Amino acid sequence: MEGGWLAGGRLLLCLTVHLLLQGRGDTFTINCSGFDQHGVDPAAFQAVFDRKAFRPVINYSLPTQVNISFTLSAILEVDAQLQLLTSFLWINMMWDNPFISWNPEECVNINKLTIAAENLWIPDIIISESMTVDKTPPGLTAYVSSEGRIQYNKPGRVTSICNLDIFYFPFDQQNCTVTFSSFLHTVDSLVLGMDKEVWEITDTSRDVIQTQGEWELQGINMATPTMSVGSHTYDQIIFYVAIRRRPRLYVINLLVPSSFLVAIDALSFYLPAENENRAPFKITLLLGYNVFLLMMNDLLPASGTPLISVYFALCLSMMVLSLLETIFITYLLHLATTQPPPMPRWLHSLLLHGTRATRCCPTVPQKGTKGLDLTPAHLPGNKEPVELVGTVPDPREAELRGCSGSTVARQEDEAQKLQLVGLWVQFSHMMDTLLFRLYLLFMAAFVITVIVLWNT
Ligand SMILES: *[C@@H]1O[C@H](CO)[C@@H](O)[C@H](O)[C@H]1NC(C)=O
Ligand SMILES: *[C@@H]1O[C@H](CO)[C@@H](O)[C@H](O)[C@H]1NC(C)=O
Ligand SMILES: *[C@@H]1O[C@H](CO)[C@@H](O)[C@H](O)[C@H]1NC(C)=O
Ligand SMILES: *[C@@H]1O[C@H](CO)[C@@H](O)[C@H](O)[C@H]1NC(C)=O
């Protein structure tokens, strides 16, 4: 008898517990019987709105999963001096609110509702790199589905700190991070997940970005390391946004004009050294280059030393060097034609050797005929050989042939001096050619180095 009573009691208890549990489940189901008459009855959601201050979970030891994704809709500015990237993001978040659920069949087939976001609990997701206060526009709404899934999207102009490296300046790529994490909730109460695959984010962003500005989106990667601060662990998702500069503007405005000026400077070595035009020409070029640098200065990044600055400095140095070379050669030529210093023996024999080597016909060189043989007419860069040195004394020499011994001696003196002048002039031209070749060699090495560096 007693056993039967006990069994009945147990049954009753089970039934009560079952009913209780069912009742609890029902309290979270929204009664939407009044939905169709005057739209949605606000009283039906009042219980949910009243709970918005608390994280919506039934069991507080379970974390809320928030799935996030974003669309990069514009790259507005990259500030190399402040190391800031300003971009425009549409951030999407999705999470479950177990206190919201209704039966769509009872509720005139409403599956989804929009609710003003201020009435709901919103996770405190921030972008760690952001350097400005979150300026979310007011009056945003969220989609709420009949299963309690909430979709909340917000736009945001994000000024995030980014480690910008401008060494390769017009051809640079930057890899900026955008880290989403909760400001307060540790991993015990909030975990992050991905709402979309990362390639989907990249593709949508590529489609959405309208601007044909300076920066181009290359790709987005992601990583999900947790972050530990003290004893707390925070969940986070790091997106690596790779962007590349479109270099066309800089190539057209900086590199092409600069290369032209340097090329003209190199070509001006073909102006004859005797002609007094070469130095003024080079000075004009140098002046032009300085004006160019002044005008283009605001196109360059305001901080750091990009390779292009080194390139400009080297171009300027090349032009200065070539001007110095011209001054040196002009001085040498002037010295040679007015008061030639005695020539060292080794230089003398070297010059004679050089002349013989460069001549095509081996029959020509005989020593002791006239100094004019050594006129460096064949050297490059010399269009008018030193005629005043060679041809002037010729007829006079013939006339004076039969005169006294002293005149003959003077004539021989003169001839020797002429020969010396010729040799010095030849030496100047050889120096000019040699220095020009060195200049070309140096320039080629420098251009190749810069191109190789820019290509890596
Ligand atoms: C829903 O509310 C209506 C009126 O407010 C009430 O008559 C009905 O019994 C309620 N339904 C449930 C399942 O609580
Ligand atoms: C809450 O969840 C934890 C972990 O899943 C579980 O051990 C515990 O029993 C749950 N509490 C309640 C009241 O359901
Ligand atoms: C979040 O993503 C995970 C895995 O993709 C999925 O299982 C879960 O249902 C999603 N949660 C929400 C609220 O979207
Ligand atoms: C950006 O940097 C991260 C980490 O250093 C790396 O994993 C990722 O591949 C880089 N992205 C690109 C496009 O270089």
Side-chain angles (χ1 to χ4, degrees):
M1 220 34 200
E2 257 190 33
W5 183 84
L6 202 68
R10 221 176 262 163
L11 193 77
L12 202 71
L13 194 75
C14 276
L15 206 71
T16 322
V17 167
H18 183 72
L19 275 176
L20 261 177
L21 278 178
Q22 222 179 21
R24 213 183 88 182
D26 279 348
T27 51
F28 303 135
T29 305
I30 287 159
N31 180 353
C32 54
S33 56
F35 264 27
D36 52 345
Q37 287 161 12
H38 308 287
V40 174
D41 184 6
F45 281 93
Q46 201 53 54
V48 175
F49 295 166
D50 289 345
R51 286 172 188 266
K52 73 171 178 183
F54 307 100
R55 184 163 68 90
V57 274
I58 297 170
N59 181 346
Y60 262 88
S61 47
L62 293 177
T64 303
Q65 165 135 24
V66 180
N67 288 356
I68 55 176
S69 74
F70 71 96
T71 305
L72 181 69
S73 67
I75 301 164
L76 298 175
E77 200 187 340
V78 176
D79 188 332
Q81 194 171 10
L82 299 178
Q83 301 268 299
L84 291 178
L85 164 76
T86 307
S87 53
F88 206 83
L89 300 184
W90 301 336
I91 301 166
N92 315 323
M93 295 184 223
M94 229 188 241
W95 69 94
D96 285 329
N97 186 335
F99 299 118
I100 301 178
S101 75
W102 69 83
N103 187 353
E105 276 146 33
E106 283 175 17
C107 309
V108 282
N109 283 328
I110 295 176
N111 285 309
K112 238 177 171 186
L113 278 175
T114 53
I115 294 182
E118 68 210 30
N119 294 314
L120 296 168
W121 177 85
I122 306 280
D124 58 343
I125 305 292
I126 55 153
I127 294 174
S128 308
E129 289 87 359
S130 183
M131 285 294 120
T132 47
V133 186
D134 187 11
K135 278 195 230 116
T136 308
L140 288 178
T141 53
Y143 260 124
V144 181
S145 77
S146 56
E147 293 100 45
R149 184 150 289 186
I150 298 178
Q151 187 193 342
Y152 175 64
N153 298 356
K154 65 174 183 180
R157 183 192 163 106
V158 178
T159 302
S160 57
I161 198 142
C162 176
N163 185 10
L164 298 166
D165 177 12
I166 42 112
F167 181 67
Y168 298 106
F169 161 60
F171 304 104
D172 53 341
Q173 298 178 5
Q174 307 295 348
N175 192 349
C176 293
T177 52
V178 176
T179 308
F180 289 90
S181 77
S182 168
F183 191 59
L184 177 79
H185 295 97
T186 56
V187 78
D188 306 328
S189 44
L190 198 145
V191 291
L192 294 174
M194 291 287 287
D195 188 28
K196 279 188 208 163
E197 292 299 318
V198 72
W199 61 264
E200 272 181 277
I201 296 179
T202 314
D203 282 1
T204 354
S205 299
R206 278 223 186 91
D207 290 346
V208 162
I209 288 182
Q210 297 286 327
T211 49
Q212 288 295 311
E214 195 180 336
W215 294 89
E216 183 183 10
L217 178 69
Q218 268 204 307
I220 299 174
N221 282 342
M222 69 152 237
T224 51
T226 50
M227 176 179 60
S228 294
V229 179
S231 58
H232 303 290
T233 313
Y234 297 88
D235 209 14
Q236 60 177 4
I237 300 184
I238 302 180
F239 291 97
Y240 296 100
V241 179
I243 53 176
R244 193 179 61 192
R245 199 191 292 270
R246 292 193 175 95
R248 205 183 330 142
L249 170 80
Y250 301 98
V251 170
I252 292 175
N253 284 319
L254 294 176
L255 294 182
V256 169
S258 164
S259 311
F260 275 151
L261 283 174
V262 172
I264 293 173
D265 186 57
L267 285 178
S268 70
F269 273 97
Y270 285 104
L271 289 177
E274 287 83 0
N275 194 329
E276 252 121 54
N277 282 342
R278 207 206 259 185
F281 185 75
K282 288 198 184 218
I283 290 171
T284 317
L285 274 185
L286 200 60
L287 198 67
Y289 197 71
N290 273 314
V291 172
F292 160 77
L293 283 187
L294 272 183
M295 282 172 61
M296 292 302 158
N297 203 22
D298 22 325
L299 277 184
L300 293 178
S303 67
T305 315
L307 192 58
I308 197 167
S309 299
V310 180
Y311 167 80
F312 284 149
L314 268 172
C315 282
L316 199 69
S317 330
M318 301 279 292
M319 294 176 109
V320 169
L321 278 183
S322 98
L323 182 63
L324 284 180
E325 191 266 4
T326 302
I327 291 172
F328 173 63
I329 296 296
T330 312
Y331 168 74
L332 215 60
L333 275 172
H334 175 75
L335 203 69
T337 43
T338 51
Q339 34 174 316
M343 185 163 269
R345 285 204 71 78
W346 60 270
L347 188 58
H348 193 262
S349 50
L350 191 78
L351 281 178
L352 284 181
H353 184 76
T355 329
R356 220 172 286 143
T358 43
R359 289 248 164 111
C360 56
C361 328
T363 50
V364 178
Q366 324 97 317
K367 213 191 171 258
T369 43
K370 273 175 198 164
L372 325 172
D373 265 338
L374 300 166
T375 333
H378 55 278
L379 282 173
N382 184 16
K383 277 167 196 148
E384 355 170 352
V386 242
E387 275 162 61
L388 67 153
V389 181
T391 50
V392 177
D394 243 13
R396 221 178 282 163
E397 199 182 9
E399 274 171 41
L400 299 170
R401 188 122 291 192
C403 292
S404 63
S406 66
T407 7
V408 169
R410 213 193 306 145
Q411 268 175 2
E412 228 150 63
D413 238 29
E414 199 114 310
Q416 255 182 3
K417 195 187 163 195
L418 282 178
Q419 191 188 3
L420 193 64
V421 167
L423 278 175
W424 271 115
V425 168
Q426 187 195 349
F427 172 68
S428 311
H429 286 294
M430 278 178 74
M431 282 302 285
D432 193 21
T433 318
L434 183 74
L435 289 174
F436 176 46
R437 287 194 182 145
L438 274 179
Y439 177 89
L440 283 185
L441 200 73
F442 186 64
M443 192 156 89
F446 149 60
V447 165
I448 288 170
T449 314
V450 165
I451 287 176
V452 164
L453 275 179
W454 263 328
N455 269 333
T456 49

